[in-house]
Every structure is written in structure tokens, then in C-alpha cells.
Amino acid sequence: MPIALIVHGGAGDIKEERFEGARTGCKEAAQVGWRVLQAGGSALDAVEAAVRALEDNPDFNAGRGSCLNKEGKIEMDAGIMDGHSLNVGAIAGVELIQNPITLARRVMESEHTFLIGAGAQFFAREQGINPCHYEDLLTERQYQAWKHHTHSSLTYEAKTDTQQEKKQKHGTVGAVAIDSAGRLAAATSTGGIANKYPGRVGDSPLVGCGFYADEHAAISCTGYGEDFTRLMIAQRAASYAAQGMDARQAGEAAINFLSKHAEGDGGLIIVDHHGNVSKAKNSKCIAHAYINEQMTEPIADIF
Ligand code: GLY
């Protein structure tokens, strides 16, 4: 079977000064995942490795570089799925975890499917994953963004995001891959949306919403999580693939559905069981990089 992999570093109105860092970070993450596939590793191992690289990169809103919530805390979400076994692992609202995607993977390999907050952190310790320091996750960019947000509002009042805010506040990372045995896998990790309400969870750790994988396709989403959740965008793309659409058609059909039923924007990456990779978006940009067996190195782009 042909091996292939695509990663993303978030969608939205990515500022031009961040283009180079996002392009390089996506390319490096794709190389990390690709090396796993080339060595005969599983799609699951490849997407976990690629997402870990994105989490470690402070330019992205996941792991180190995650955004802050209204209280100034960093609460992260992640989910991973093996399209062969249909096993899932997810965590939400976790603090002080360096690589949330690896914790999600450990959850997948346990009796659990989804752990949140303090329980997920307790489970991490049981697994030998020690907590990191807040400073290990915090970046100057996200701190300044938080200060800017909190300057005008220090309360938790229910305020509806404007359409412009819905386009700017999100960022997520993800990877999808197919391995030499034809197995598909998907992984997504995020700090969520900037200045989010404490305890708020978006689509990223919700199976079928921010990620999904089965025998037809694997999908990782990025965008305004509330809309991706209620419209179950990842599963929708997988079911379009199951109906016979290729990766490009299935991804675009799911994003067209999003555009029709939501104001929030975003995008997704997808690989189908033939090894076709694609991206789809209704936001201005989606940082991504992909590689397949016809290529010598990943192609990275922001659009
Ligand atoms: N898509 C990431 C989030 O809304 O949390």
C-alpha cells in the first residue's frame, strides 16, 4: 500500500509574519511522521510523532505555545484514533502536560476512552508522565494575546464572539496518515480558543468532530470548535469518503456543509484509503504540509 501523511498547524487569518515559522514547523512535523512510516511504522505512531513535533513547537497553539483561558490558565485538549481497530483516546481540559497527544494515546491503550481535567492528570502520573511547569507551555506571544483580551474584560460575562473573533481565535494542530499495511490514523491537539471560558471544550478531543479515522479515511480538523462539534465535521468527511468520494471531494463536501450551516470557519486535512491526501478550508489560510511516495520531501504551504 502507498504510504502518505499530511499535517496541519491551524486555520484562520494567519498573520503574514507567522507564515515562515508555520511553514517550517509543518514541514518538520511532516518529516518526523514520514520517517516513522518509511521505517515501516504504523500510521498511529506516525500521527502521534508528527503531532508531538507540532506540540513542541512554540509557534503553534498546542502543547508549548497553547493559548490561555480567561483565568490565564492553559487547558489543553487532544484526541487520537486508529482507523483499523476503531480505538479512540482523548483528553480534555488538562494542565501541565507537555505532550497531550501522548496522554490521549495512553488513554486509548487503557480501559478508558476519554478522560478530563484532574482525572486525566492523575492518570498521566500513573502512566509515568510527570507534570511539566506552566512556563514550559507559556509563550510570550500567547501571554501578550491574553493580556490584550483581558484588558477590556476581567469577568466571565457571557459574550457572543463576533464573526471576526470566530475567525481569529482558534488554532489547532493535527496529522493524518496511511501506513504500508493500509491502516489509517488521525490525531488532533489544541490549546483551544484564546481567552476561552474555563472548562470550555471544543471539537479537537471529540471523536467525529475534531478527528476521525476508519477504513475509508482519516481526518483532523481545525477551526471554530463549537461549529465543528455540532456539525460533526470529521465524521461527516469520513462518511462522504465511505460513499465513494476521494479525499479532496470528501474534504470539500464536509467544509461546504460547514459553510452552509455555520458562521465559524476553519479547515481539515484528510487522507483516503488509496493514499490521496488533501486539505479543505473556508478560512483564509490553513498551515499544512504533506508527503507521499512520489515526493522526496514534504511540501508545506499556508493556503
Ligand atoms: N478547534 C479547536 C477548538 O475550537 O478548540
Side-chain angles (χ1 to χ4, degrees), residues 5-19:
L5 173 133
I6 179 166
V7 307
H8 71 79
D13 245 344
I14 302 171
K15 293 200 178 93
E16 228 173 291
E17 65 260 25
R18 293 193 51 229
F19 278 12

Side-chain angles (χ1 to χ4, degrees), residues 156-174:
Y156 293 164
E157 85 269 23
K159 172 180 163 289
T160 310
D161 287 333
T162 64
Q163 211 163 338
Q164 189 56 23
E165 282 171 326
K166 284 185 179 186
K167 288 187 194 303
Q168 288 177 342
K169 285 175 75 174
H170 50 73
T172 296
V173 305

Side-chain angles (χ1 to χ4, degrees), residues 77 170-172 190 192-193 200 202-204 222-226:
D77 311 324
H170 50 73
T172 296
T190 191
I193 55 173
R200 176 266 183 192
D203 60 315
S204 302
T222 167
Y224 196 73
E226 281 67 7

Side-chain angles (χ1 to χ4, degrees), residues 68-72 142-150 195:
L68 282 59
N69 72 9
K70 279 187 189 293
E71 291 182 323
Q142 293 292 9
Y143 177 66
Q144 291 303 334
W146 176 76
K147 269 206 339 202
H148 176 77
H149 274 121
T150 50
N195 208 35

